[in-house]
Amino acid sequence: MTDHFEIHERDGAARIGELRLADPVTTPALADPFLVDAGSLWTADRDVPEGDESELTVLPHRSFPAGTREEVRESFRVDHPAIDAPTAAVVDSEAPRDVGADAYVLADASGFVGHGEAFRDAILSAKSALPADTALHLAGVATPLNVATLAYVGVDLVDASLARTKGAQGMYLTADAEHFLEDLEELPCACPACAKPRGEFTRVDCADHNVNALRAELRRVRERIRSGRLRDYLEGQARHDQWLTAAFREFDDQWGYLEERTPLMRDAEVTAATAETLDRVEIRRFADRVTSRYRNRFSDQPLVLVPCSATKPYSDSQSHRQFHDAVKWRGHTVSMTSPIGVVPQELETTYPAQHYDSVVTGDWSEDEIGFVAEVLRRYLVRNEYSRVIAHVPEHGYREVCERVESDPEIDVDFEYTCVDHPTTDESLGELNAALSGEPAYSKREREHNTVRAIADYLLGDGAGDEVFGDGADGSSDDGTNDSGSAEIRTTGRYPKLQVWGDDPDAGREGEPGEQLATMVPQYGTLSFTLAGARRWLASDAPTKRVEIDGFVPHGSVLAPGVVDADDGIRVGDEVVIEGPKAFAVGRAEMSGPEMVESTRGVASEVRHVDEK
């Protein structure tokens, strides 16, 4: 439990926090100005410190070298006193434990920073054992080159001791390299320490510069976290050092750790500029959900594969308008793109399908071809089509299709309609002719299927049918079935659809029924009403439920009020909030596990609430 540290913003495992001292500190930060060490118990007995609201007091401690046997650790374990002030406890990565402090110092950081696998194991060990709302401090390891990576994996506090020591040794540090001072003919920095002529620049000045560079890099990291762009920065920076590259790849392999901490949606654009982009959580999560949750409901139409467009959402682009004029609702349009994979038309606004930008050269790498081909293969294994019309150009797209077509597991015919370029008159004519005689689906059918597809993506496999009906009983263009009732009704103009229930007498006067949800075009998600939330809970769809204590939330639910929460909740998820006195619906600001562990911070925003 912490009284002096709170997380305000998250960017994957990286976070912006507030260390609540007399003068609050925004983390990630240098701890040197406010960290006070009560001392090691190996050298002498230590009095219990009184603590100070202006300082972070490191409690008396014993640290152990790597490889120390567990029985030795237990024999010399320290009882950490509880004091009414901000405190930090010294632990090690092999056996970290929660002792009720506000921050934890990993004593053996210098032994694992610099070794990719050991670094990964140490951070995962600490993060799994220590409370989510406490600060993690790595001492004696930070440089301007590696501090962004430290923050990316969840480190909140560092010190400048290594940067200063390297300066005294004649190593000049920047955010992308370490230089021997003697090799520099001019200084590539404009900080106060570097303002003097090169000939007068000493190792003392070099140490001051290194600390300035570390502070500047931390400011850059904090801004990157606030904007949701730290990953973009690291994809470039990691190439400057072998250890950073190794650490980056080790954590990309830790899907569970990063996925739990990565928001479901955000304003930041995904910049696809390197091969590592394919390993981003946002990319892999979208591909996984499309191939394991999404289900094609346009069962009477063939699949029409088309290339992506620079304009997002795709349907707003000139090329896709031309495709639509040729298809005329007679085929189910799915866009192929690197790095996303495949994007069904119903999910074209769903994050990150309309929130990415890639470097366009006309050439696809083998990694890109392999990734998109695997996503398309999995998509076709899950979804049945009578045939596939591939209206795609050469150079990447065609190779992906041919690779999937030749897979023994794929039993569907491919037909290629692109001549030279997809938007030429000849190509569009071929596409139109290939769809001759196919039945067309209605605009209303597309709207209903879009709502159901988004529910599948957000809530789980089958959720769209469970919450909004499967539309399999003869629905007509106005949304009614053969018996004259309607499973759902949609109003508004795509992509700002409103979803209504099947009882026109249930809503207010002048409305088509009881409103269940609204489509949010900014992220391609659904925002539920209280009626929609109750319908969700009453269905067999997977729930995302937050159990709260006996109070009525207004505006938000704070973490201390959370009794329990589903493990699968992610930041940005739609959640149902329920307690003895209230029923509410809102959007998660923490993951489910963090809601349960945390003692400070906003767990969920509240959109609508009913008092019981």
Side-chain angles (χ1 to χ4, degrees):
M1 177 176 180
T2 176
D3 294 322
H4 300 281
F5 186 67
E6 181 176 341
I7 306 301
H8 292 306
E9 298 182 59
R10 296 161 180 81
D11 183 11
R15 61 250 190 109
I16 296 290
E18 180 185 5
L19 190 59
R20 296 188 169 181
L21 307 180
D23 293 320
V25 175
T26 300
T27 64
L30 280 178
D32 307 61
F34 54 81
L35 194 71
V36 176
D37 191 352
S40 171
L41 293 169
W42 288 122
T43 57
D45 291 334
R46 307 287 179 177
D47 294 331
V48 175
E50 294 182 2
D52 190 314
E53 291 294 326
S54 65
E55 301 169 341
L56 181 63
T57 302
V58 181
L59 299 170
H61 54 85
R62 290 190 184 96
S63 57
F64 301 91
T68 302
R69 296 197 306 271
E70 180 61 26
E71 57 267 27
V72 176
R73 295 174 189 274
E74 285 296 325
S75 297
F76 291 96
R77 175 167 287 182
V78 175
D79 292 327
H80 293 80
I83 63 175
D84 188 19
T87 60
V90 175
V91 296
D92 60 81
S93 61
E94 292 191 26
R97 61 191 181 98
D98 176 16
V99 297
D102 303 292
Y104 291 86
V105 183
L106 287 188
D108 53 344
S110 59
F112 58 74
V113 171
H115 305 279
E117 186 175 350
F119 175 66
R120 176 204 67 194
D121 292 344
I123 296 299
L124 296 181
S125 173
K127 287 293 185 176
S128 64
L130 303 176
D133 60 345
T134 55
L136 182 63
H137 178 29
L138 266 59
V141 296
T143 68
L145 180 59
N146 71 22
V147 73
T149 296
L150 300 183
Y152 174 72
V153 303
V155 175
D156 305 289
L157 297 171
V158 296
D159 61 33
S161 60
L162 180 59
R164 190 172 291 281
T165 297
K166 283 181 174 286
Q169 294 170 344
M171 295 298 297
Y172 187 97
L173 308 183
T174 65
D176 60 2
E178 296 186 2
H179 307 272
F180 288 107
L181 183 57
E182 289 77 8
D183 293 340
L184 294 176
E185 294 188 13
E186 56 181 311
L187 303 174
C189 176
C191 75
C194 297
K196 60 184 61 178
R198 172 67 185 87
E200 299 176 14
F201 190 83
T202 67
R203 291 191 175 192
V204 173
D205 298 320
C206 188
D208 290 341
H209 154 78
N210 288 351
V211 176
N212 290 338
L214 183 55
R215 288 197 184 100
E217 185 67 2
L218 281 165
R219 286 195 291 270
R220 183 179 295 111
V221 165
R222 289 194 293 269
E223 281 304 307
R224 285 281 179 169
I225 296 173
R226 291 186 183 103
S227 64
R229 300 297 295 270
L230 183 59
R231 169 76 187 214
D232 296 338
Y233 180 62
L234 278 181
E235 285 186 11
Q237 192 192 44
R239 296 177 179 271
H240 296 299
D241 183 271
Q242 291 181 342
W243 172 68
L244 296 181
T245 303
F248 195 66
R249 291 174 179 173
E250 290 288 353
F251 273 90
D252 271 351
D253 288 339
Q254 298 303 310
W255 165 257
Y257 178 75
L258 292 179
E259 193 277 332
E260 179 183 313
R261 293 162 172 80
T262 300
L264 190 66
M265 60 200 71
R266 46 187 165 186
D267 294 332
E269 179 183 85
V270 175
T271 302
T274 71
E276 285 78 16
T277 302
L278 296 174
D279 293 322
R280 291 181 67 139
V281 167
E282 299 96 322
I283 302 300
R284 294 172 61 188
R285 177 193 278 153
F286 187 88
D288 177 70
R289 292 192 177 193
V290 165
T291 55
S292 65
R293 295 185 176 190
Y294 170 84
R295 181 174 64 80
N296 168 45
R297 294 175 171 85
F298 298 96
S299 56
D300 294 333
Q301 282 77 30
L303 170 62
V304 179
L305 293 174
V306 297
C308 65
S309 66
T311 300
K312 314 291 189 310
Y314 303 136
S315 59
D316 287 348
S317 69
Q318 182 178 357
S319 61
H320 278 246
R321 289 193 183 108
Q322 291 175 293
F323 300 155
H324 173 71
D325 289 343
V327 174
K328 298 175 183 176
W329 313 99
R330 295 172 296 170
H332 179 223
T333 303
V334 172
S335 300
M336 295 171 57
T337 178
S338 175
I340 304 294
V342 298
V343 182
Q345 61 186 14
E346 305 97 300
L347 299 179
E348 66 168 4
T349 64
T350 301
Y351 185 89
Q354 68 164 335
H355 302 80
Y356 77 97
D357 196 12
S358 57
V359 177
V360 179
T361 64
D363 295 321
W364 287 42
S365 69
E366 174 56 35
D367 287 341
E368 290 176 301
I369 292 172
F371 175 79
V372 178
E374 176 58 17
V375 176
L376 178 58
R377 187 195 68 79
R378 290 170 57 193
Y379 179 86
L380 289 175
V381 168
R382 177 173 170 82
N383 294 284
E384 292 187 5
Y385 292 93
S386 59
R387 58 190 176 122
V388 176
I389 299 173
H391 191 70
V392 296
E394 301 284 349
H395 309 301
Y397 292 103
R398 180 70 175 259
E399 187 172 348
V400 167
C401 291
E402 290 175 344
R403 188 174 296 189
V404 174
E405 183 183 14
S406 65
D407 190 292
E409 201 171 359
I410 302 302
D411 185 22
V412 61
D413 293 330
F414 278 64
E415 181 179 347
Y416 298 92
T417 56
C418 181
V419 180
D420 187 30
H421 191 275
T423 58
T424 63
D425 289 343
E426 185 177 4
S427 292
L428 294 172
E430 290 289 331
L431 177 58
N432 180 38
L435 290 165
S436 177
E438 293 287 351
Y441 58 85
S442 68
K443 179 182 175 183
R444 184 68 65 191
E445 187 179 353
R446 180 195 174 181
E447 291 178 352
H448 289 192
N449 286 349
T450 295
V451 169
R452 294 180 177 115
I454 293 174
D456 287 342
Y457 183 91
L458 295 175
L459 308 182
D461 186 13
D465 293 345
E466 292 292 342
V467 178
F468 299 121
D470 62 12
D473 50 1
S475 293
S476 63
D477 287 354
D478 65 358
T480 60
N481 59 31
D482 292 338
S483 64
S485 64
E487 295 180 302
I488 58 169
R489 297 170 184 264
T490 52
T491 60
R493 185 174 181 180
Y494 175 86
K496 298 179 181 179
L497 299 176
Q498 296 172 338
V499 188
W500 305 83
D502 56 3
D503 184 358
D505 298 324
R508 294 176 295 187
E509 184 176 353
E511 293 182 344
E514 189 173 40
Q515 187 172 0
L516 304 177
T518 299
M519 183 177 170
V520 182
Q522 182 180 1
Y523 303 115
T525 185
L526 294 175
S527 176
F528 281 94
T529 64
L530 287 171
R534 290 191 173 95
R535 185 160 171 167
W536 175 16
L537 282 186
S539 74
D540 290 331
T543 58
K544 298 181 185 294
R545 186 172 178 271
V546 179
E547 182 183 350
I548 61 173
D549 222 328
F551 64 95
V552 180
H554 296 284
S556 62
V557 171
L558 300 181
V562 174
V563 176
D564 198 8
D566 290 341
D567 287 343
I569 293 173
R570 300 292 177 259
V571 174
D573 259 326
E574 195 76 358
V575 293
V576 174
I577 304 159
E578 193 167 16
K581 294 186 177 180
F583 179 85
V585 64
R587 197 167 296 282
E589 295 293 323
M590 294 179 178
S591 68
E594 190 175 3
M595 289 182 187
V596 177
E597 291 180 20
S598 297
T599 55
R600 302 193 71 90
V602 176
S604 177
E605 297 295 341
V606 174
R607 187 183 312 111
H608 305 292
V609 61
D610 264 354
E611 187 171 354
K612 292 182 177 180

